């Protein structure tokens, strides 16, 4: 049975030593003193380890079941959900006027990682609710906000996102679900939606479905899609629950993982709905949820990787097998622990350096979101908009690979469900797919985000790297060699890739799109390289200042050196693939395959 | 529901256009005329598609069950196994004197790929039997051969390999299973073995377990391990089955995949066994099985990748989603098929170029085995011994990645069990683990094989690459640019890595071992690069000779160009990681993680 300990100390290091959050001029940030965030993270870590984690395997093994139209979650989920609600965790970064705690998004993100790592399937019930509430917050009328938000912020009611239909996922313009306008201003929604996470369950009094549908007579394709609020139970004027709406569960899907989350086929049979935002502008409103959800999915990639890594590390320390070739490390025992073997080290260092780098990247991204939303900073908004597909695509691909590596450390036991490592892999797999498959993220990045405002935001990113390197060129010769030089080289690869797209993509967009997936990974590595350089510098400063816990900072530097030496050179391969162009990719006719 | 069509045409191309098997001076090879192998492969493909493949999903969903000590395989397995036996497939490359068909190993391998791709869990029953029979063939007494082989070659009786115990897998020296010598020359075996594939089932009259155990009083550790034949039912002198032996199934493991194969905990309680080979030389005898099994597992990596690819390709052609950015390709339809999108192409080309390259690598490896065994060629034996960990480790790692990519093409549907793509991923996962986890393969390659006979075999490999490049330098400027130059560059990277190990690994073995995993992949890429160059040349020759089916050869060349341009440059990254040395890998104390 796996275990999980929330990496609160590492999150504190990133928040305070690296990002220096309480010194930042963003509303709410000055209150983020180390003692305060430390207390929040400690408490969140406890819930994660003690309440959510023990249900992770239970959820996987038991799954959800549909009986007479009612979905039942695995044993223990309901009680745990009550505890999470009581602690006020779902509304941690929601406005106080709706019952939230109004903390910055960065804190919600740090907590979210712990919860997701402890139990991804469980945490999705609250995560989807958060996304739906954000969309209502951004696009709802005052009445809609008053009706739904207090109950959603507390998770008395949960939320869902309904986009996909059997014949369309990415290409939502093909959607068939209809919304017929009624005389009272409401709509009647009819159609089938699939892959609806947390679509129905027994843990909330009501479920607020946000549903994309087409109003007949509207524009063709994606420009005729509107967003609707469709509650499971209609809400009376006094706020009490009224009659059951015309929405029902067709079935629960059998999935590779996240069995504890009810992924439903939802049937809408003339269900009553209310327009959220403007007619035919549903995609815009949905993207409020989607961008948040994409960052949240990137977080899941990191979370599963870290949880799996923690267990692989323990196993590598405990399991005795073989001898250190340079001399026995456990001479009195029958064999040495796995961790003495260089290739096991390599794997553990891959995992460790990814998880810590990804955490920094994610929390940095969260500060950009706060800067954009709380301080109205348009540049931060542009930068995080550029980064969102990188956070989603890179962190989930790499996070998945790391769960596979963690499973591998267990040898044969990694393949046996009893040991729990297969679940990390199976659960992590979905994050590469949902909220826009990673190929779509790459397309969004290269086809849309990169060129926005004449490439303003990617240029800002390059400036950021350049400034960092310039400002820290005199830290030490070692720092320059271990961190600055590799970061500069990687950043140069990223610039060369961008240049290739500019020059070749103008004439033929396929030249850019054929390299989009590599570009997403190239970009991700440079981001983690920048994060490791910033963490390395913070660790070096702490050591120079004689801070306590020197061992922590030394380990941080060593882990960073590993990333820079062993992981970051991947940028060269991605660049080579990009620069090889589209010819070999597009050479075959479809029939020639 | 996925489909599967055996790639008989591609196998024919490799056997005849590339490897020119019937022209090779190996006993049995002159008979391998295209008509003959074509007929065999066609028939095997039919069995694979029509008999084995339909049971693949059944096996996954139903799994095996243990009832009152008896293991039942999924519905339909027994009938299918009868059909496979009737066709004589299990003994295709076994000696005629024991009822086999005595065809070369390369034919068994080609057929094995089809069977494994169609149903890996099912094919393992026969695969393990083949391995056990090979060990008896190589190390058994005449009496043992006469007693067991005819029934094993026909799969009336099946076989197993019993190595792992709960506390030891890789480090078999720690084993506790005991073999007490008896007065009649037999032994009494006691202990527990785990992860025993095909450990028990209802498809054979008897099961012949090959069990590693220690004879009390023998040498410590791995040097005191012996191999025993322990049949489920004792065999009377007249060959009829006698009483039940003291071996029983403790439980069937719940696994991530290959549910159709019964992975058992086997309990030996004073079971009667007979020594196979010499006392305390059990590892040597076991390695007869293991090397064959490792090549077979590499084959599984390819097989799952190809089966998954076939389905991803069909889905990409059928599923309408989005539009080609360069102009609609299906203007009368609601959207274009997925295959128009460059990133879907990239993924399909990754898969296609891997599968075809891997098939050539595998079949080439099989010819080396034939050359070694049938023609007694020691150099071929040395080369395939060097290649075995590469075939196992590289093909299973890459094969797994390709199943993940194939699953990804399906978007959300890839995560739903109903569509069958998750099974390819889950089934393929085991191949990276069993028969020596891939980290152990890397250790075997770098720590043991590379330096054998002063590096004679790796030098022979480099010579082979060099000769190919030299002999084909005048094929055409395009061929030189597209194939020769990339192959030379990749081979240079491999040589540089070997040089680094020589220079640094002498002083500190960790310098070599820290790069062992990267070396295994670097080597694998160069092998596939060589295979693609050879295939490219064969395709070019066929085109120049005006062979029919020019489209096939053009596609082959285009696929090869893709591999050389997009996949082979990975060698640079692996070399960079290797040359970064062991320092960053080994920097942390175990407690500092």
């Amino acid at each position: 049975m796996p275990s999980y300990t929330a990496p609160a100390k590492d999150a504190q290091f990133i928040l305070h030593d690296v990002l220096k959050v309480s010194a930042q001029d963003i509303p709410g940030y000055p209150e983020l003193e180390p003692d305060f965030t430390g207390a929040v993270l400690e408490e969140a870590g406890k819930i994660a380890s003690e309440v959510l984690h023990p249900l992770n395997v239970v959820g996987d093994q038991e799954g959800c079941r549909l009986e007479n139209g009612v979905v039942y979650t695995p044993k223990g989920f309901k009680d745990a959900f009550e505890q999470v609600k009581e602690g006020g965790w779902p509304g941690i970064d929601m406005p106080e006027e709706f019952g939230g705690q109004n903390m910055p998004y960065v804190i919600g993100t740090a907590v979210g990682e712990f919860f997701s790592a402890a139990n991804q399937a469980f945490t999705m019930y609250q995560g989807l609710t958060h996304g739906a509430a954000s969309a209502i917050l951004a696009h709802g009328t005052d009445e809609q906000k008053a009706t739904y938000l207090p109950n959603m912020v507390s998770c008395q009611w949960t939320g869902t996102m309904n986009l996909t239909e059997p014949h369309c996922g990415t290409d939502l313009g093909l959607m068939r679900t209809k919304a017929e306008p009624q005389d009272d201003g409401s709509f009647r929604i009819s159609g089938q939606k699939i892959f609806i996470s947390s679509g129905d369950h027994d843990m909330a009094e009501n479920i607020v479905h946000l549903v994309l549908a087409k109003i007949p007579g509207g524009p063709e394709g994606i420009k005729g899609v509107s967003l609707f609020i469709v509650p499971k139970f209609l809400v009376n004027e006094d706020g009490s629950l009224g009659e059951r709406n015309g929405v029902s569960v067709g079935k629960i899907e059998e999935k590779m993982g996240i069995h504890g989350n009810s992924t439903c086929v939802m049937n809408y049979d003339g269900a009553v709905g209310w327009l959220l935002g403007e007619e035919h502008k549903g995609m815009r409103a949905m993207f409020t949820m989607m961008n948040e959800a994409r960052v949240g999915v990137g977080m899941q990639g990191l979370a599963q990787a870290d949880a799996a890594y923690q267990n692989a590390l323990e196993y590598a320390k405990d399991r005795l097998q073989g001898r250190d070739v340079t001399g026995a490390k456990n001479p009195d025992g029958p064999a040495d622990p796995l961790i003495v073997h260089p290739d096991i080290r390599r794997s553990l260092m891959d995992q460790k350096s990814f998880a810590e780098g990804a955490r920094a990247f994610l929390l940095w991204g969260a500060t950009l979101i706060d800067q954009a939303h709380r301080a109205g900073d348009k540049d931060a908004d542009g930068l995080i908009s550029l980064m969102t597909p990188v956070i989603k695509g890179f962190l989930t691909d790499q996070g998945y690979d790391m769960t596979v590596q963690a499973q591998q450390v267990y040898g044969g036991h990694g393949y046996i469900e009893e040991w729990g490592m297969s679940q990390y892999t199976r659960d992590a797999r979905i994050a590469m797919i949902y909220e826009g498959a990673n190929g779509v993220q790459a397309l969004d990045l290269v086809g849309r985000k990169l060129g926005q405002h004449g490439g303003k935001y990617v240029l800002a990113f390059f400036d950021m790297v350049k400034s960092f390197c310039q400002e820290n060129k005199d830290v030490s010769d070692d720092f320059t060699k271990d961190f600055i030089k590799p970061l500069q080289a990687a950043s140069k690869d990223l610039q060369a890739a961008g240049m290739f797209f500019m020059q070749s993509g103008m004439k033929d967009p396929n030249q850019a799109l054929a390299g989009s997936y590599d570009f997403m990974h190239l970009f991700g590595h440079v981001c983690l390289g920048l994060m490791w350089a910033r963490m390395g510098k913070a660790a070096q400063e702490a050591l120079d200042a004689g801070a306590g816990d020197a061992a922590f900072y030394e380990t941080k530097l060593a882990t960073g050196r590993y990333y820079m030496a062993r992981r970051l050179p991947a940028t060269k391969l991605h660049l080579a693939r990009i620069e090889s162009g589209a010819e070999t990719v597009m050479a075959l006719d479809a029939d020639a395959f």
Side-chain angles (χ1 to χ4, degrees), chain A:
Chain A
M1 182 75 85
S3 68
Y4 177 68
T5 307
K9 188 173 179 180
D10 199 51
Q12 283 282 85
F13 166 73
I14 295 166
L15 291 174
H16 302 292
D17 291 31
V18 182
L19 301 173
K20 301 186 195 303
V21 287
S22 60
Q24 286 198 37
D25 187 23
I26 300 172
Y29 270 49
E31 291 97 274
L32 299 181
E33 292 287 348
D35 284 355
F36 173 70
T37 61
V40 172
L41 296 180
E42 192 189 338
E43 195 54 36
K46 248 190 229 171
I47 298 271
S49 301
E50 295 170 14
V51 180
L52 308 190
H53 180 70
L55 296 174
N56 197 40
V57 170
V58 175
D60 185 55
Q61 291 177 349
E62 208 177 301
C64 296
R65 63 185 208 280
L66 176 64
E67 276 177 23
N68 302 321
V70 180
V71 173
Y72 296 92
T73 51
K75 199 173 161 191
F77 269 42
K78 207 169 169 175
D79 286 349
F81 205 60
E82 286 306 316
Q83 287 186 63
V84 169
K85 285 194 262 187
E86 275 163 28
W89 297 104
I92 189 168
D93 57 359
M94 282 290 181
E96 277 179 311
E97 72 172 301
F98 300 114
Q101 301 195 40
N102 203 32
M103 286 186 213
Y105 182 74
V106 71
I107 298 301
T109 302
V111 169
E113 185 211 321
F114 301 171
F115 283 20
S116 280
N119 196 328
Q120 177 172 330
F122 177 93
T123 303
M124 287 170 66
Y125 292 98
Q126 132 185 16
L128 270 297
T129 308
H130 193 285
S134 295
I136 295 176
L137 197 58
H139 302 283
T141 62
D142 287 346
E143 195 192 329
Q144 286 172 335
K145 290 183 198 173
T147 303
Y148 298 103
L149 288 183
N151 280 312
M152 292 177 79
V153 165
S154 67
C155 269
Q156 288 305 112
W157 301 354
T158 63
T160 72
M161 294 167 67
N162 290 243
L163 291 79
T164 305
E165 300 182 6
H167 64 291
C168 70
T170 301
D171 191 353
L172 291 169
L174 302 176
M175 134 179 342
R176 292 177 193 148
T177 299
K178 271 187 319 195
E180 297 275 0
Q182 307 295 307
D183 292 344
D184 66 354
S186 71
F187 291 77
R188 290 285 181 161
I189 315 291
S190 300
Q192 189 179 65
K193 295 288 182 177
I194 63 169
F195 304 158
I196 310 307
S197 298
S198 317
D200 195 46
H201 57 86
D202 55 354
M203 303 195 294
E205 294 163 6
N206 201 6
I207 299 178
V208 181
H209 302 290
L210 296 195
V211 184
L212 285 179
K214 284 185 172 175
I215 301 169
E220 286 291 301
I222 198 74
K223 290 178 179 159
V225 168
S226 307
L227 185 61
F228 298 89
I229 301 176
V230 186
K232 176 177 175 181
F233 291 100
L234 297 175
V235 185
N236 297 322
E237 287 204 4
D238 65 356
S240 64
L241 294 184
E243 60 181 305
R244 186 75 152 78
N245 205 350
V247 48
S248 60
V249 180
K251 70 165 173 173
I252 300 180
E253 302 281 9
E254 295 284 340
K255 308 183 299 292
M256 184 176 179
I258 53 165
H259 296 157
N261 195 274
S262 55
T263 305
C264 298
V265 172
M266 301 300 298
N267 294 322
Y268 293 87
D269 302 300
V272 178
W274 287 272
L275 188 68
L276 177 60
E278 294 175 54
E279 267 189 17
H280 314 315
K281 300 273 169 70
M283 288 309 290
R284 191 191 296 173
M286 192 49 103
F287 263 96
T288 306
M289 287 168 74
M290 202 97 107
N291 278 328
E292 181 188 302
R294 285 175 175 181
V295 172
V297 172
M299 179 186 76
Q300 292 175 344
L302 151 65
Q304 294 305 302
D306 190 55
Y309 161 66
Q310 289 187 18
N311 288 283
L313 175 60
E314 286 313 305
Y315 191 79
K317 286 179 178 178
D318 286 351
R319 174 87 170 173
L320 304 181
Q321 208 80 179
R323 288 291 183 193
D324 187 331
V325 285
T326 63
K329 288 288 181 295
N330 176 33
D332 300 333
D336 287 343
L338 286 181
I339 199 168
V340 305
H341 302 299
D343 188 59
I344 295 286
R345 287 285 179 133
R346 172 203 57 78
S347 173
L348 293 173
M349 291 300 290
D350 278 358
Q351 296 171 55
K352 181 176 172 63
S353 65
F354 167 74
E356 295 176 14
R359 183 171 297 121
F361 184 27
L362 185 76
L363 293 177
W364 173 54
T367 65
L368 291 176
I369 291 175
D370 281 325
Q371 210 170 330
H373 293 177
R374 294 185 162 237
D377 182 333
K378 287 223 176 337
D379 287 340
D381 195 47
L383 189 55
I384 188 60
S385 164
L386 172 71
M387 294 292 183
T388 296
V390 182
I391 291 174
K392 198 282 184 182
F394 179 72
L395 295 192
T396 60
D397 275 358
Q398 297 267 321
Y400 177 74
D401 285 348
M402 295 306 151
T403 63
V404 174
Q405 287 214 35
Q407 186 184 18
Q408 190 73 12
V409 171
Y410 278 68
H413 297 97
Y415 200 64
I416 307 294
E417 293 294 351
E418 188 185 342
W419 289 76
M421 298 306 287
S422 158
Q423 188 187 350
Y424 288 121
T425 304
R426 291 185 290 97
D427 285 0
R429 183 68 186 87
I430 188 58
M432 297 156 72
I433 299 173
Y434 61 16
E435 307 306 340
N438 286 356
V440 175
Q441 303 298 326
L443 179 65
D444 179 46
L445 175 65
V446 170
R448 203 167 145 260
K449 300 288 179 64
L450 200 56
Q452 267 179 351
H453 297 272
K456 181 179 173 186
Y457 303 116
V458 73
L459 294 176
F461 177 80
F462 289 133
D463 277 346
M464 196 177 288
V465 173
K466 208 170 153 186
S467 303
F468 178 87
C469 294
Q470 182 60 29
E471 284 161 19
N472 294 287
K473 68 179 165 41
D474 299 324
V475 171
S476 74
D477 287 351
D478 277 350
F479 190 78
T480 299
K481 173 175 69 69
D482 296 339
F483 291 93
I484 300 283
K485 292 284 179 196
L487 176 59
Q488 284 173 326
S491 177
K492 213 175 125 195
D493 291 339
L494 185 63
Q495 291 181 51
M499 194 61 75
F500 177 83
F501 287 164
M502 287 249 297
Q503 289 168 350
S504 312
M506 293 285 191
K507 285 169 276 179
D508 174 9
N510 283 348
Q511 290 289 346
L513 298 182
S516 59
Y517 213 87
D518 282 285
F519 189 81
M520 180 173 76
H521 277 261
L522 170 44
F523 206 157
H525 275 296
V526 177
C527 289
L528 256 61
L530 174 61
M531 289 299 121
W532 270 117
R534 291 181 64 177
M535 289 195 283
K537 185 202 164 191
Q540 191 59 60
E541 278 177 351
L543 286 169
D544 293 346
D549 208 356
F552 176 86
Y553 296 111
E554 292 286 5
T555 296
K556 193 57 83 174
L557 277 163
T559 310
R561 279 185 215 111
Y562 181 88
Y563 195 89
M564 305 310 273
R566 285 249 166 186
R567 304 294 295 173
L568 197 55
T571 57
K572 293 240 169 316
L573 172 59
H574 293 301
L575 177 61
R577 296 183 58 165
I578 289 165
E579 290 184 338
S580 78
E583 285 75 12
T584 61
V585 179
M586 307 303 289
L588 295 181
D589 283 340
D591 294 336
F593 271 84

